[in-house]
Amino acid sequence: MSFSEFISNGTFLKKIDWKKAFIILLYCAFFNLVGAILAGWCFANSSAFSHLTHDSYLAKIVAKKLARPSELVLLEGILASMFVNIAILSSVLVKDSSAKLWIILSAISMFVFLSNEHIAANFSSFSIIKFSIVSDQIANFDIPNILRHWGVTFIANLIGGGFLIGLPYAYLNKNEETYVD
């Protein structure tokens, strides 16, 4: 279960209140960012990313993402979050470990290949670019645009995972005797 879905389920089922859920969500997002910045610095300084150019796949994806209007970022973020949530829910229901792995990897590969917006993935990819030699060559790679992008993506992931997947799931399972997938 993804975090936004967990928060939706917990608050809907009155296990935790909305204020506490929001605080937990902000803590998780903040420490995802801190971890992504540290990992981004490490990767940017590793041999694997030492030869990045503005024509590299990662640089092109980051530039493409930052050029998107907020409405498109919102749509792409909702789709990415739904991909991830469906994959996680599916893996919970599947018993075979290798099938679980393939379900999760296929969903993640799908949103990465389609360059959908996911806040944790964007924290990482933007951090790698920020600490690499190509950061000044990426169009629209400035703090206000990055913050705009992250803000819209955060809201989109909350909508996709929390409200479109989490709330219906919680509603269908509000009664502890009946479990519906």
Side-chain angles (χ1 to χ4, degrees):
M1 191 177 298
S2 78
F3 188 74
S4 58
E5 183 182 335
F6 167 75
I7 292 297
S8 299
N9 279 328
T11 54
F12 184 81
L13 297 175
K14 310 280 192 271
K15 304 287 184 192
I16 58 175
D17 64 48
W18 285 100
K19 182 181 175 186
K20 184 171 184 161
F22 186 69
I23 291 170
I24 293 169
L25 182 62
L26 290 180
Y27 272 115
C28 288
F30 175 74
F31 285 108
N32 269 310
L33 175 59
V34 169
I37 289 171
L38 291 172
W41 182 85
C42 291
F43 279 112
N45 290 293
S46 71
S47 62
F49 290 94
S50 64
H51 303 294
L52 278 180
T53 67
H54 69 281
D55 288 327
S56 300
Y57 177 75
L58 182 62
K60 284 184 176 181
I61 288 294
V62 168
K64 177 181 170 184
K65 287 177 176 245
L66 289 173
R68 290 179 176 157
S70 295
E71 299 82 15
L72 185 56
V73 173
L74 186 72
L75 175 64
E76 299 279 346
I78 291 169
L79 292 173
S81 190
M82 291 180 74
F83 271 131
V84 171
N85 279 275
I86 290 169
I88 291 171
L89 280 174
S90 299
S91 73
V92 167
L93 299 173
V94 172
K95 303 297 180 216
D96 183 57
S97 296
S98 58
K100 287 181 184 209
L101 178 67
W102 283 109
I103 289 169
I104 291 172
L105 287 178
S106 64
I108 292 171
S109 298
M110 197 64 168
F111 87 75
V112 169
F113 174 73
L114 295 173
S115 74
N116 291 135
E117 306 291 349
H118 194 273
I119 192 68
N122 287 347
F123 283 165
S124 300
S125 59
F126 290 15
S127 294
I128 291 170
I129 292 297
K130 175 62 182 161
F131 296 115
S132 73
I133 58 174
V134 298
S135 65
D136 59 343
Q137 300 171 21
I138 306 297
N140 304 311
F141 196 79
D142 54 51
I143 296 299
N145 193 36
I146 292 169
L147 293 176
R148 171 201 64 91
H149 192 278
W150 284 349
V152 174
T153 303
F154 180 84
I155 292 166
N157 291 166
L158 183 62
I159 292 169
F163 300 139
L164 297 179
I165 300 289
L167 282 180
Y169 189 78
Y171 177 76
L172 292 172
N173 293 293
K174 64 184 171 198
N175 175 338
E176 292 193 16
E177 292 86 40
T178 308
Y179 177 78
V180 180
D181 278 328

